[in-house]
Amino acid sequence: MAVTKRRTTRSAAPAAPTLPSKEELIRYYREMLLIRRFEEKAGQLYGMGLIGGFCHLYIGQEAVVVGIQSCMTEADSVITSYRDHGHMLACGMESKGVMAELTGRAGGYSKGKGGSMHMFSREKKFYGGHGIVAAQVPIGAGLGFAHKYNKDGGFNACYMGDGAINQGQVYETFNMAALWKLPTLFVIENNKYAMGTAQARASAGELFQRGSAYGIPGKQVNGMDVLEVRAAAHEAIEYIRAGNGPVILEMQTYRYRGHSMSDPAKYRTKEEVNKMRSESDPIDNLKKLLLEQGYADEESLKVVDREVKDIVTEAADFATTSPEPDPSELWTDVLVEA
Amino acid sequence: MPVQVLMPALSPTMTEGKLAKWLKKEGDTVKSGDVLAEIETDKATMEVEAVDEGTLLKILVPEGTENVAVNTPIASIGEEGESAETAPAAAAAKPTEVKQEATVSTPSTPAPVPPQAKAPESDEDKYFKDVKTQTVREALRDAMAEEMRRDPTVFLMGEEVAEYQGAYKISQGMLQEFGADRVIDTPITEHGFAGLAVGAAFGGLRPIVEFMTMNFSMQAIDHIINSAAKTLYMSGGQMGCPIVFRGPNGAAARVGAQHSQDYASWYGHVPGLKVVAPYSAADAKGLMKAAIRDPNPVVFLENEIVYGHSFPVPTDPDFIVPIGKAKVVRAGTDVTIVTYSICVAHALAAAETLAEQGISAEVIDLRTIRPLDVETVMASVKKTNRLVAVEEGWAFAGIGSELAALAMEHAFDYLDAPVVRVTAKDVPLPYAANLEKLALPQPHDIVDAVKSVTYKK
């Protein structure tokens, strides 16, 4: 057990227990590709004026959520920030419902009343989608609290960015989560930029060590490699399920697009982005592995590509043809009628 | 010359207490720092330490004496051989004087006028056939405890709620009954535990979050508004948040500007929240039970000064006060005074004064701020044709401003005078006793306001 209390580690190589099966690997490939294609389509619809407001794309970070979700069960819950489309798809929420929420239509998960940052599925135990940076962190610990209180065996996976980690409420939460041994996995998706501010300009020290004063074990992981993510998540979740309290995983990842659709990302060079894309792309690298291992050939992967493309096309069609919410919806859902 | 030991105040709002136990007896030698006696209030127990050295000459108030006013001489200390007789006369001889001294340092808190006497009939009356006298403090605790017995998903969290038994002793005995899994001491971390409780509510539990005072809820207001109040709407109706945020609200006594604020209009502003602010113990109990059972986030505004006031409370465990219903606590014909929380006491006191001057005031206790009971208020305004709104909050964008706007919308043609607001003065609350009193609405301010709308001198 590499994750031990009062210890923070930087993983050099994944202590992968066993290589996942062929079927599992192909599933990860498919899930990551779905997120990628979905987000590309969302960017396109945004450009056409069909999606409004804020829209934060997950392109480049797919391995993080797919790797972690691969270790989770139906008892577990998920919460994240506003960069949330990938998490919803990874939780098994329908592409159609997510895309239709982006376009603000009645067929969206929140009937068009939430938008990109505010979608939920009680059925899939996905608790949002939160627009205030780091607000999901204490809420995630609260979901962990509920898992513990209800003794349902589940834990909460609470995702946050490298910007959120500097909010005070994160440390209020780390303290309580450690004190009460709450079953919560804190995943820092370090994509290097908090909007336009590079990590080095905003954060002192190492992010994976931010819980060490509270005795929360932390680990830095290559978040561009789904297998390394999976291995780290597996270990962390085992520790959490054993009743030891929270764990922090810092995923070193990268977003290819701007902070949101309206961000031209002038704070970094094209070369930097291109280098990441060509050398560290999580989907390309898994594809290489699948081919090398003989688990798939170009033809069979093309079939997966086509299936994913069909799902996304169908989602976009649904999202552009679903009606706008009825005007009467303005007044519904303010309060639960007792 | 012997020195008198006076009954000390344990808190800014304490006016009297019980002399529980003497730890020294007459003739004992005492030095400064020695514990002389233990005193108790319904909130706390404290030791009385000697400040002077000498011999305990005489105990003036025997142990077990209840309702000893603050500043009453309880003993005298002098040099050995000095006669106790030379000490000033015992407390009993001049209680009035001491009492007056005590009142100077505390704000005007008129004794509750029993509203039942002059209230019109209400469908809640049937519950008042069997009542017991309880303080607001006890009523709040009983409400929480009854609901926790009834529903295992209800739990209480906050600073000092468990082992300390509540900073204001609202949760007294609850840790002992329900255990540490359901009565949870938090670190001093309002933003964090408010968010955590919201998450627990999303996860299917029904948290009661105590803020030591509502002033500290400002640290947590993002979670109350953005996370608790808005999520149901943003989720298209999927994500209800059954949670109660409660704590003492408004001015206490001499605690200064940061600890003396009324949040009724702050929280009342937000769709997706319910906001209640009861005055009587019965309403505190009935509304607390309703708040805990409500599937929505409820901000429950209590009042520290009122915690110790006693009222008749129905014994029927099914007694619940529905959220959103105001109560006419005194019937009248000439003017409608609308208020909530501690200002109900001020309004009833003013109504009594006004009655002596031939003006009949109807007093409405809103009890719920949001959703506001427009119907009850406007029915009264249409009857009396005059409205005075009273609150401890500031006037700007306050509850009174809302009532004035509602009166324009619903009863414009019935008004015989402009609506008048009696509010806190537009300043941070001062510490000095005289300034504090000037800054907060007093019964005489209400009397003046009523006279202005009834065109009486």
Side-chain angles (χ1 to χ4, degrees):
Chain A
M1 180 84 207
V3 181
T4 48
K5 206 154 185 197
R6 298 180 202 289
R7 195 159 148 226
T8 50
T9 47
R10 211 190 279 257
S11 78
T18 48
L19 196 67
S21 69
K22 170 187 162 185
E23 288 70 28
E24 282 173 299
L25 286 171
I26 291 175
R27 185 159 57 89
Y28 305 159
Y29 176 78
R30 192 175 189 283
E31 287 178 2
M32 290 198 290
L33 195 68
L34 175 63
I35 296 173
R36 174 78 50 99
R37 297 285 172 263
F38 181 96
E39 294 289 63
E40 286 167 350
K41 179 60 82 178
Q44 194 188 2
L45 295 183
Y46 193 95
M48 293 160 69
L50 289 161
I51 296 173
F54 296 119
C55 185
H56 310 86
L57 302 182
Y58 198 61
I59 297 174
Q61 301 180 211
E62 297 90 346
V64 176
V65 76
V66 170
I68 288 177
Q69 292 300 125
S70 76
C71 302
M72 294 179 67
T73 71
E74 282 183 1
D76 308 322
S77 60
V78 175
I79 194 165
T80 187
S81 71
Y82 42 79
R83 195 177 305 286
D84 55 358
H85 312 159
H87 302 73
M88 293 187 271
L89 298 177
C91 284
M93 289 167 69
E94 294 277 340
S95 299
K96 280 160 58 172
V98 178
M99 196 69 93
E101 189 60 37
L102 297 184
T103 54
R105 305 301 175 96
Y109 265 98
S110 300
K111 303 188 218 165
K113 290 154 75 167
S116 164
M117 303 187 285
H118 308 295
M119 274 179 262
F120 309 83
S121 170
R122 274 200 184 276
E123 185 202 343
K124 303 289 182 190
K125 293 201 170 67
F126 178 76
Y127 289 91
H130 290 267
I132 305 298
V133 176
Q136 78 276 14
V137 179
I139 299 175
L143 288 160
F145 178 94
H147 284 300
K148 193 177 177 191
Y149 190 100
N150 290 327
K151 301 184 174 66
D152 61 14
F155 77 97
N156 177 258
C158 176
Y159 295 83
M160 73 196 87
D162 51 297
I165 195 70
N166 291 322
Q167 289 274 29
Q169 61 182 315
V170 170
Y171 301 92
E172 298 192 25
T173 303
F174 284 176
N175 182 43
M176 287 184 286
L179 195 64
W180 299 333
K181 291 192 163 43
L182 300 181
T184 306
L185 173 63
F186 297 110
V187 183
I188 305 167
E189 299 197 56
N190 180 359
N191 65 20
K192 311 290 187 289
Y193 296 92
M195 203 172 135
T197 305
Q199 188 199 339
R201 294 200 297 124
S203 296
E206 294 285 352
L207 304 189
F208 69 98
Q209 293 172 335
R210 289 286 180 95
S212 49
Y214 307 95
I216 304 175
K219 193 171 187 177
Q220 196 176 56
V221 182
N222 174 11
M224 300 302 278
D225 183 325
V226 71
L227 297 181
E228 290 193 41
V229 174
R230 181 179 178 275
H234 181 82
E235 190 179 34
I237 292 167
E238 212 167 61
Y239 177 90
I240 292 167
R241 286 204 205 281
N244 296 309
V247 174
I248 295 169
L249 292 180
E250 178 197 344
M251 296 293 166
Q252 298 247 302
T253 182
Y254 201 79
R255 65 169 152 75
Y256 298 169
R257 298 293 186 93
H259 165 72
S260 68
M261 284 303 294
S262 49
D263 169 23
K266 293 268 169 62
Y267 42 81
R268 60 186 187 187
T269 62
K270 267 210 164 61
E271 289 71 36
E272 179 184 305
V273 181
N274 288 338
K275 191 170 182 328
M276 286 302 288
R277 293 192 84 133
S278 59
E279 291 174 10
S280 305
D281 188 78
I283 299 173
D284 287 352
N285 288 347
L286 182 59
K287 182 177 178 177
K288 232 176 274 165
L289 179 81
L290 286 169
L291 295 173
E292 278 166 14
Q293 294 285 326
Y295 286 166
D297 54 29
E298 291 284 355
E299 257 326 292
S300 65
L301 290 181
K302 264 192 192 132
V303 174
V304 176
D305 292 1
R306 263 199 303 278
E307 283 169 7
V308 164
K309 204 174 167 194
D310 287 348
I311 293 171
V312 171
T313 306
E314 191 194 12
D317 287 347
F318 179 75
T320 48
T321 53
S322 174
E324 290 190 312
D326 190 88
S328 66
E329 283 292 343
L330 179 64
W331 297 102
T332 61
D333 306 322
V334 177
L335 292 170
V336 179
E337 300 304 330
Chain B
M1 182 70 189
V3 187
Q4 284 186 338
V5 180
L6 303 179
M7 179 75 172
L10 299 179
S11 75
T13 50
M14 174 179 163
T15 54
E16 58 178 34
K18 177 182 178 183
L19 209 161
K21 193 176 178 187
W22 279 105
L23 300 170
K24 296 276 183 189
K25 54 183 191 302
E26 289 179 0
D28 282 359
T29 306
V30 292
K31 52 183 197 300
S32 102
D34 281 356
V35 178
L36 299 175
E38 284 175 7
I39 57 172
E40 279 174 18
T41 65
D42 52 351
K43 270 200 289 204
T45 304
M46 213 170 99
E47 292 170 338
V48 183
E49 287 183 7
V51 183
D52 302 288
E53 293 191 345
T55 303
L56 185 63
L57 296 176
K58 183 133 185 90
I59 287 173
L60 303 169
V61 176
E63 69 179 29
T65 308
E66 306 257 7
N67 307 325
V68 183
V70 168
N71 283 342
T72 305
I74 56 173
S76 61
I77 293 173
E79 280 170 37
E80 204 160 353
E82 205 172 1
S83 166
E85 312 322 313
T86 60
K94 44 174 192 174
T96 341
E97 195 188 310
V98 171
K99 194 99 182 159
Q100 273 171 355
E101 259 180 67
T103 351
V104 173
S105 62
T106 50
S108 157
T109 54
V113 179
Q116 283 71 21
K118 289 175 183 170
E121 281 183 19
S122 133
D123 50 10
E124 288 164 29
D125 291 349
K126 61 176 184 284
Y127 292 105
F128 284 85
K129 284 183 190 119
D130 288 308
V131 294
K132 61 177 170 183
T133 300
Q134 276 196 308
T135 61
V136 170
R137 174 178 287 114
E138 292 161 341
L140 288 167
R141 182 205 50 212
D142 284 1
M144 290 193 287
E146 284 172 23
E147 292 307 301
M148 284 178 69
R149 280 173 214 134
R150 187 180 161 269
D151 181 350
T153 67
V154 179
F155 70 95
L156 173 68
M157 80 180 340
E159 294 154 9
E160 311 289 8
V161 297
E163 295 198 8
Y164 194 89
Q165 307 287 308
Y168 294 96
K169 294 287 174 282
I170 304 300
S171 51
Q172 194 144 33
M174 289 178 66
L175 171 68
Q176 286 64 29
E177 178 174 355
F178 299 104
D181 289 343
R182 296 184 69 196
V183 182
I184 300 159
D185 277 328
T186 64
I188 301 172
T189 188
E190 286 89 4
H191 194 184
F193 70 69
L196 193 146
V198 168
F202 288 162
L205 305 182
R206 287 181 173 263
I208 306 169
V209 176
E210 174 175 313
F211 291 113
M212 193 180 287
T213 81
M214 289 309 292
N215 300 287
F216 314 147
S217 77
M218 273 200 290
Q219 296 263 11
I221 200 165
D222 177 60
H223 280 298
I224 298 171
I225 293 173
N226 273 320
S227 305
K230 293 182 184 171
T231 302
L232 182 73
Y233 194 83
M234 294 194 302
S235 66
Q238 275 190 75
M239 295 279 297
C241 186
I243 191 168
V244 177
F245 297 104
R246 51 156 290 266
N249 174 65
R254 309 284 317 279
V255 292
Q258 291 183 336
H259 287 71
S260 311
Q261 196 168 319
D262 179 359
Y263 288 88
S265 99
W266 287 56
Y267 291 115
H269 192 64
V270 183
L273 284 183
K274 292 186 178 183
V275 182
V276 298
Y279 166 60
S280 75
D283 289 341
K285 183 170 186 192
L287 280 166
M288 179 57 76
K289 290 175 70 115
I292 295 167
R293 292 184 195 187
D294 202 285
N296 299 288
V298 179
V299 174
F300 199 102
L301 304 173
E302 300 162 8
N303 184 284
E304 189 199 326
I305 291 168
V306 173
Y307 278 156
H309 289 189
S310 294
F311 297 83
V313 178
T315 50
D316 187 338
D318 292 330
F319 170 68
I320 284 187
V321 175
I323 293 174
K325 292 288 280 181
K327 189 172 187 181
V328 180
V329 290
R330 180 179 173 122
T333 52
D334 299 335
V335 61
T336 301
I337 304 173
V338 181
T339 187
Y340 57 92
S341 191
I342 190 172
C343 287
V344 173
H346 303 332
L348 289 171
E352 203 59 41
T353 307
L354 289 161
E356 287 161 14
Q357 300 173 24
I359 299 171
S360 163
E362 181 145 296
V363 179
I364 296 179
D365 179 355
L366 284 175
R367 305 194 294 187
T368 296
I369 304 299
R370 173 185 268 269
L372 196 90
D373 185 353
V374 178
E375 198 184 327
T376 298
V377 174
M378 291 310 145
S380 175
V381 172
K382 286 177 184 176
K383 183 179 78 176
T384 65
N385 312 112
R386 292 170 170 90
L387 173 60
V388 169
V390 185
E391 69 192 294
E392 249 190 17
W394 292 301
F396 191 95
I399 302 303
S401 311
E402 179 63 21
L403 288 166
L406 287 169
M408 299 244 281
E409 290 165 14
H410 295 271
F412 184 73
D413 291 334
Y414 293 84
L415 289 173
D416 285 346
V419 177
V420 170
R421 293 170 293 171
V422 178
T423 66
K425 302 298 183 295
D426 202 20
V427 295
L429 198 72
Y431 168 71
N434 64 328
L435 297 182
E436 184 183 63
K437 202 169 176 186
L438 284 171
L440 292 172
Q442 306 293 337
H444 65 80
D445 297 319
I446 303 170
V447 169
D448 292 348
V450 166
K451 285 185 177 174
S452 80
V453 299
T454 51
Y455 308 112
K456 300 266 171 67
K457 273 191 188 165

